[in-house]
Amino acid sequence: MQKRLQAARPSHENVFDFIFPANEVRMTPSRLDGVEEAVETMNRIAACELINDAALLLLLPQVASARAQVLLHRVFQRKSMRKYNVPITAISCLYLAAKMEENQKSLRDTCNVFHHLMQLEEGKENPDPLEYQSDKYYTYRKKIITQERLILRDMAFVLHVEHPHKYVVNYLH
């Protein structure tokens, strides 16, 4: 039983397992799945912009946004963009990062902001509010919660992020 449990564990049990060799950085699961490098890069940039925009609207600190972006890159270093919806993964990373920074926002607020940003992305000038009891709200809610669980599972609950800000300040003085 013990051997079976050990074999089922992901290989990234500690923080240092998130330092990837150059060949793994170049050959991500998305690229192995047929996603071109330029497309993957654009998706990552768009997802980081979505995280920043949502963090601003949710009044989250910059540290939560930075943590969410690190989590997003870790997820897509382990999983393909063909398997995970990029915008849902981005907003789920932000929701999880806000919890980790002890600045949690309600899932309802997160769904509202995500809905608003998706409508702006589609080119709608005056986005409609997300109705609380609507099917769309419950769909967003379910997707975000499910994706959060998948992220936690994929990361084996190792979510520690060492922010570089404190080191940068030391070098500036």
Side-chain angles (χ1 to χ4, degrees):
M1 178 72 169
Q2 185 71 2
K3 288 181 183 179
R4 192 171 79 209
L5 286 175
Q6 287 176 345
R9 285 191 185 135
S11 64
H12 48 281
E13 288 183 352
N14 68 41
V15 175
F16 298 107
D17 287 335
F18 289 112
I19 299 173
F20 299 101
N23 63 334
E24 275 190 49
V25 171
R26 283 190 299 277
M27 292 309 296
T28 64
S30 298
R31 292 200 197 127
L32 295 174
D33 229 6
V35 177
E36 294 180 21
E37 182 177 359
V39 172
E40 181 181 12
T41 302
M42 291 306 297
N43 281 339
R44 285 180 183 238
I45 290 170
C48 288
E49 288 174 355
L50 176 65
I51 288 171
N52 277 337
D53 293 344
L56 283 172
L57 291 173
L58 288 167
L59 302 175
L60 289 170
Q62 183 64 34
V63 175
S65 178
R67 182 182 294 261
Q69 290 176 14
V70 169
L71 292 176
L72 177 92
H73 289 302
R74 285 182 184 174
V75 167
F76 288 125
Q77 196 60 37
R78 296 279 184 207
K79 296 293 177 181
S80 173
M81 289 181 177
R82 289 193 191 266
K83 293 182 179 155
Y84 283 177
N85 181 307
V86 177
I88 292 289
T89 303
I91 205 72
S92 299
C93 285
L94 182 62
Y95 183 65
L96 184 58
K99 286 182 181 179
M100 293 166 59
E101 293 294 334
E102 297 184 9
N103 203 340
Q104 182 177 358
K105 298 298 179 183
S106 72
L107 188 53
R108 181 178 178 184
D109 290 344
T110 305
C111 289
N112 280 324
V113 165
F114 179 68
H115 177 71
H116 178 79
L117 291 172
M118 289 296 97
Q119 287 186 32
L120 291 176
E121 183 75 23
E122 293 168 359
K124 200 167 192 181
E125 290 184 24
N126 296 320
D128 300 324
L130 181 62
E131 294 182 29
Y132 177 55
Q133 297 291 331
S134 68
D135 289 339
K136 196 165 209 165
Y137 168 75
Y138 284 110
T139 301
Y140 283 152
R141 179 184 166 97
K142 183 179 178 183
K143 285 181 179 181
I144 291 170
I145 290 171
T146 302
Q147 191 64 32
E148 179 189 26
R149 287 181 186 153
L150 290 173
I151 291 166
L152 288 169
R153 184 198 68 194
D154 293 341
M155 297 295 141
F157 288 82
V158 179
L159 302 173
H160 175 75
V161 173
E162 188 71 33
H163 294 293
H165 304 97
K166 62 183 177 184
Y167 302 113
V168 171
V169 171
N170 286 336
Y171 284 112
L172 292 176
H173 288 296

